[in-house]
Amino acid sequence: ETMASIKVLDVSHHNTVTDWDKVAKAVDAVIIRAGFRGYGAAGSLTTDNKFKAYIAGAIKAGIPVGIYWCSQALSDAEAQAEAAYCRALIAPYKLQYPVYLDSEHMGPGGSGRADKISKARRTQYGLAFCRAMQGYGYMVVLYCSESWYKSEIDGAAFAAAGFETWVAKYSSSKPSMPCDAWQYTSSGKVEGVSGNVDLSHFYVDYVAGDYREAVQKRFG
């Protein structure tokens, strides 16, 4: 079975983009890390230090953009504060792709401030973030690995709440759960970016349809 797929790159400050015009010829869209909650006890809200340059560069080159946010919330209130911070950060830009909640271990060896919380709590705070961003008018999608979807967060609860998933599985066989996108490699190559990159197959063309229409269709 072959599904029409859209080639999507994701980047953060870990990547070095050298030429957005070359990237524009190589991919259909780019998802850029907007920011994250820091690792220490204080968990400061932080902007990815390449976010503003990267989103401006991608938009100037005509590449449709979405963003992702790395959460380390330890309460609903923290999740909502992350959403408010994220919204303020992305408000100046026209997104054509969703906002993605990145759920994974955030510190080496599970040392991130939220790396040890229960699956139930992680699910609760993740949904709090997604609902807050949805309330701001964004389409929101959960990003996680195939195993994380089952063992560390209740992926099915996000689906039940109307949030689609972008699943990471570095393999030639696609994820076992239904998903809107599949991140299939972390060692891809794209002209205009030095080193290895993450690449995904996206199965929803957010650009062909109107973004707002898609939001309406999903959330009524």
Side-chain angles (χ1 to χ4, degrees):
E1 159 210 13
T2 58
M3 285 176 78
S5 108
I6 295 155
K7 185 177 179 181
V8 178
L9 165 72
D10 62 89
V11 293
S12 72
H13 78 87
H14 296 295
N15 304 102
T16 303
V17 181
T18 54
D19 189 331
W20 281 110
D21 291 324
K22 283 184 179 165
V23 174
K25 293 188 180 82
V27 302
D28 298 302
V30 61
I31 312 301
I32 302 165
R33 184 170 78 161
F36 55 94
R37 187 183 280 279
Y39 305 136
S44 313
L45 297 172
T46 310
T47 303
D48 184 295
N49 62 22
K50 291 187 183 169
F51 170 67
K52 287 177 182 172
Y54 279 2
I55 196 165
I59 289 170
K60 184 166 181 253
I63 309 170
V65 296
I67 67 98
Y68 73 97
W69 173 267
C70 297
S71 176
Q72 294 209 77
L74 296 177
S75 66
D76 285 350
E78 284 196 351
Q80 288 154 357
E82 290 182 8
Y85 179 96
C86 182
R87 177 208 194 178
L89 198 51
I90 65 179
Y93 309 99
K94 184 182 190 302
L95 301 189
Q96 288 178 280
Y97 272 69
V99 167
Y100 296 89
L101 168 63
D102 182 347
S103 187
E104 61 181 294
H105 282 135
M106 294 294 171
S111 62
R113 77 197 287 272
D115 285 355
K116 301 275 195 296
I117 63 173
S118 68
K119 176 179 176 177
R121 285 180 67 193
R122 186 174 289 113
T123 301
Q124 179 183 326
Y125 309 150
L127 284 168
F129 174 89
C130 290
R131 289 190 176 113
M133 291 306 298
Q134 180 185 316
Y136 295 139
Y138 292 96
M139 184 180 292
V140 196
V141 174
L142 171 69
Y143 165 88
C144 64
S145 72
E146 185 176 52
S147 60
W148 191 269
Y149 181 101
K150 296 169 180 167
S151 61
E152 300 291 338
I153 203 164
D154 183 356
F158 284 79
F163 301 109
E164 303 299 326
T165 45
W166 172 19
V167 176
K169 182 189 185 187
Y170 303 150
S171 161
S172 56
S173 58
K174 63 178 295 188
S176 56
M177 64 281 300
C179 57
D180 271 11
W182 166 30
Q183 187 186 67
Y184 61 90
T185 185
S186 60
S187 52
K189 298 280 185 235
V190 165
E191 279 281 309
V193 190
S194 54
N196 289 343
V197 296
D198 297 338
L199 289 173
S200 298
H201 297 301
F202 274 58
Y203 304 116
V204 176
D205 189 345
Y206 295 102
V207 179
D210 179 71
Y211 181 84
R212 295 281 154 193
E213 216 171 79
V215 172
Q216 289 305 320
K217 202 176 78 196
R218 285 275 159 80
F219 305 120

